[in-house]
Every structure is written in C-alpha cells, then in structure tokens.
Amino acid sequence: MAAASSTTSRPAAWRGVIDAYRAHLPVSPATPVVTLLEGNTPLLYSKALSRRLGEPFRVYLKYEGANPTGSFKDRGMTVAISKAVEAGSRAVLCASTGNTSASASAYAARAGLRSIVLIPSGAIAMGKLSQALIHGANVAAVDANFDVCLELVRTIADRHPVTVVNSINPFRIEGQKTCAFEICDTLGRAPDFHLTPVGNAGNITAQWKGYREYHKAGRTGGLPVMLGFQARGAAPIVSGRVVKKPRTLATAIRIGNPASWQQALVARDESGGRIEAVSDRQILQAYQRLAQEDGVFVEPASAASVAGLLALAARRYFRAALRRRRNRNEPVLLVCILTGHGLKDPERAIQSIRAPRTLPPDLKTISKAVGLQ
Ligand code: F0G
C-alpha cells in the first residue's frame, strides 16, 4: 500500500459512539450496531462567556444539537436500539417531551422496528413532532403531562412485548455517558465544572457515570463538579417535592417527577455540586446570547446550562471555588452541555425576537429598515 502523503491523509472516519467506546459499553461482537454516526460533537470554546467570567476561567460548549436527530438522545438511542435488536425486540416505546421520541423513531426506522411514542398533547416543539411523524412512529398525543405519559408507558410495557427506550432503560444511560468520555478526550482531562440542564435527570446521571468510569480506568486524573439546572416552574429536585403541574417555556424539561431523581442527587453529592433552578427569563437571555455572541443556536431547554453558569458567576460561586484550589494559575475549565438544536423549536426563536416586517421593494425603505442609513 502506498504511504499516504500529508496532503491526502485524513483521520479515520467516525463510526459512531459504539465503535468509538466499545470497551466501555455493554456490547459484544454479536451486538448488531444500529447507528446514525452519532457523537463526536463539537466542543466549542466560548470567548464571550470566558471573558465574562474572567481569568483563569475557560468556558466550552458541548454542542449536542449536532447529533443526527439534533439532540444528545442519539448517544443513548444507538445503544438502546442495538440491544433491543440483539434481544429480538420488534417494537420500542417511549414517553417524551419530544427529543426522545425523535431519536427513538429515527433509530427504530433504521433498525426496522416499530416505534410507539406518547407525548403530552400540544406541549412538544413542532420540529420534534415532525421528526416522530416522518420516521413513521405511532404517535399518541395524550391530554396529560410528561410524567403521566411515562407512567402509562411503564404500564403498557408490563402488558405488551415492547422495549421501553426512555432513560429508565439502562442502555440509554450507558450510551449517554459517552458525552463525558468525548469531553475528557478533547480537553485531555476532565473539566473542573460540568454544567447541564436537568429534566428527567437521565443525562446528568449518565454524564457522572461516564466521568467516574474514565477516572477509574485511569483515563483522567480528576472529576468535575456537577452542576445541574432545572427550570424554576419545573424544579422538583431543587424543592424536594414532586411538581404536579410543571410550567416552563423550555418544554423539553417540563417534568415534575424525574425518573432518575435519586441518581441526580448522587451525582450532585458525590461531586460536591449543586442542582439549582433558573427562570424562563434567564433561560431566554442565555438562549439569545448563545445565538448572538457564540453563533450557536440551541433550543430553550439547552440554554439552561448557560443560564445557570451566568447566575452562579453573578453570585461569584466560581471565584469562591477558586480559592480552594492549590494551583491558582492553572486554567479552570467549565463545560456547558447544549443538549438540543435550536431548529427543533423555530417558533420560539421568532417569538423571542420579532418577526420581520414585510417591506415594499424600495431601496430607500429597505436601507433604512436594515440599519444602513
Ligand atoms: N435538554 C433537552 C433538549 C432535552 O430534550 C431533555 C430531555 C433534557 C435537556 C433533559 O435531559 O431528561 O436526561 O434530564 N428530554 C426528554 C425527552 C425528557 O423526552 O426528550 P434529562
């Protein structure tokens, strides 16, 4: 074989998270890998947010919206669907605020499985609904919130031969932990702080599992402090009480009784972290800021991590943590997880700014309207 010259050599093609992290996942050579080449998402340095925090802080954004169906769910779904196929399952079932159903129906389509999804009627973003429908899912829009849908899913699964692919399926958690692996591989170490939105709490559970496993395997020397953020009107973990009627414009995390509640507390407490609430106003501000200062379009729920970062920074939380460090000159690395793509919910973007007025095709009027005069 001819040696590749420097101009023609390319890195090996990415083959999805199961291929990349096989040694850390519950798969064998017999597992039929169902993948859309998820993972390997950008870890973007944010100049604007790093500046806002000041030296020695460096803020990175893990853009999970770049996954094939536009959210982090694909990492868990490749493992859950592959294992479902391996076990001979014919149909998968989930309750969802939108992204899980989008991902489940896409991976099920690829595997030739039937998908059934229960969604809270009128409460999921249009992009996500369009995904479930076009991938051929049987969609039940239920007149109830997500928590009720998940209870129904548990009951249906007791009575019918279907595989549940919500994060109560442990294979989902296994796949989602690869986000932590990628962050460590890219940074060359674990970050000091890991900030993430919290809804059903599967993701924070998975991420903490990933960091701990990499640490145990000797791949990293340290562990991050885990910081989770719920929306104020849907913050059961923060208040310590189930929220019967969760309210927030961040529909993806409109959840009042998270399935992985206990594991989220473990992640918080083992890492010395916090789970806090951010208001819809703070979420929207972070949402616009990410789009306008970093060029990154996320869905509102995803901006909860950055809203939390800004809220904690305003309270000088990170500065206080700095005082406890031995080497104060070393950069402090913070990673905000941006869980889903902004195009999932374009209506919110337009509402949150202002739709453009229609103008006559007149140069003078247009120049004035676009600020060129
Ligand atoms: N961000 C987005 C965009 C989500 O879709 C979700 C959860 C979360 C954050 C929270 O993650 O539940 O693991 O704590 N969406 C689920 C769904 C509930 O059905 O799509 P979590």
Side-chain angles (χ1 to χ4, degrees):
M1 203 170 80
S5 80
S6 61
T7 51
T8 58
S9 71
R10 297 192 297 163
W14 178 258
R15 292 172 56 199
V17 299
I18 292 181
D19 177 70
Y21 296 108
R22 181 171 280 280
H24 300 270
L25 294 171
V27 291
S28 76
T31 310
V33 176
V34 181
T35 179
L36 287 164
L37 308 186
E38 60 297 312
N40 198 24
T41 56
L43 186 70
L44 299 160
Y45 175 67
S46 171
K47 205 159 143 188
L49 291 168
S50 300
R51 236 188 233 151
R52 173 75 177 245
L53 266 69
E55 280 296 331
F57 299 103
R58 310 253 159 96
V59 181
Y60 291 86
L61 307 169
K62 182 68 169 164
Y63 190 33
E64 291 289 278
N67 275 299
T69 78
S71 85
F72 68 92
K73 307 285 180 182
D74 296 345
R75 295 180 183 278
M77 211 53 77
T78 182
V79 180
I81 299 286
S82 298
K83 295 302 283 186
V85 173
E86 185 177 6
S89 176
R90 308 286 298 277
V92 297
L93 169 70
C94 68
S96 183
T97 57
N99 281 322
T100 299
S101 60
S103 186
S105 52
Y107 282 79
R110 197 159 174 85
L113 302 182
R114 188 174 159 212
S115 60
I116 304 166
V117 308
L118 270 59
I119 53 167
S121 181
I124 79 168
M126 198 55 80
K128 303 173 188 179
L129 180 60
S130 73
Q131 290 177 286
L133 293 172
I134 200 69
H135 289 304
N138 288 105
V139 178
V142 184
D143 187 16
N145 65 29
F146 168 84
D147 303 292
V148 173
C149 290
L150 187 55
E151 275 313 305
L152 289 165
V153 157
R154 291 182 200 261
T155 309
I156 295 169
D158 283 342
R159 300 181 185 176
H160 297 273
V162 292
T163 303
V164 176
V165 292
N166 279 105
S167 56
I168 53 177
N169 177 333
F171 296 129
R172 278 277 312 281
I173 303 290
E174 290 298 315
Q176 279 170 217
K177 74 188 181 187
T178 60
C179 181
F181 297 164
E182 281 181 20
I183 291 168
C184 296
D185 288 343
T186 310
L187 294 176
R189 68 169 173 97
D192 298 284
F193 296 93
H194 175 101
L195 298 90
T196 192
V198 175
N200 214 22
N203 213 21
I204 193 168
T205 300
Q207 292 157 351
W208 180 236
K209 188 168 198 282
Y211 284 122
R212 272 189 336 204
E213 286 183 9
Y214 242 33
H215 186 240
K216 204 163 163 216
R219 303 289 295 261
T220 52
L223 289 163
V225 171
M226 300 295 285
L227 302 171
F229 301 95
Q230 300 198 290
R232 184 147 294 150
I237 300 178
V238 180
S239 67
R241 277 193 306 269
V242 170
V243 178
K244 283 259 161 58
K245 287 189 180 153
R247 275 182 237 274
T248 167
L249 61 78
T251 51
I253 53 172
R254 191 184 286 166
I255 294 175
N257 188 13
S260 299
W261 190 324
Q262 289 312 314
Q263 296 93 310
L265 294 180
V266 168
R268 181 193 70 185
D269 297 340
E270 283 185 356
S271 74
R274 313 176 71 100
I275 295 181
E276 300 216 345
V278 286
S279 68
D280 279 4
R281 200 185 142 92
Q282 288 172 309
I283 288 174
L284 275 187
Q285 276 169 354
Y287 170 69
Q288 293 182 1
R289 204 187 163 111
L290 279 166
Q292 294 174 8
E293 295 179 1
D294 280 295
V296 181
F297 188 22
V298 300
E299 63 171 289
S302 306
S305 54
V306 172
L309 172 87
L310 295 170
L312 288 181
R315 280 168 23 210
R316 304 188 69 74
Y317 166 83
F318 299 108
R319 290 265 160 220
L322 198 60
R323 274 183 233 116
R324 296 195 291 272
R325 281 169 68 94
R326 251 179 295 152
N327 185 352
R328 294 209 196 157
N329 294 326
E330 243 186 43
V332 176
L333 309 184
L334 302 95
V335 175
C336 294
I337 307 298
L338 304 179
T339 46
H341 202 289
L343 288 172
K344 295 268 188 179
D345 194 358
E347 284 166 350
R348 176 60 60 191
I350 294 165
Q351 277 168 23
S352 81
I353 308 291
R354 204 183 325 131
R357 256 184 325 126
T358 303
L359 304 171
D362 169 63
L363 200 56
K364 215 165 153 202
T365 318
I366 293 169
S367 305
K368 193 160 172 232
V370 299
L372 287 175
Q373 203 185 287

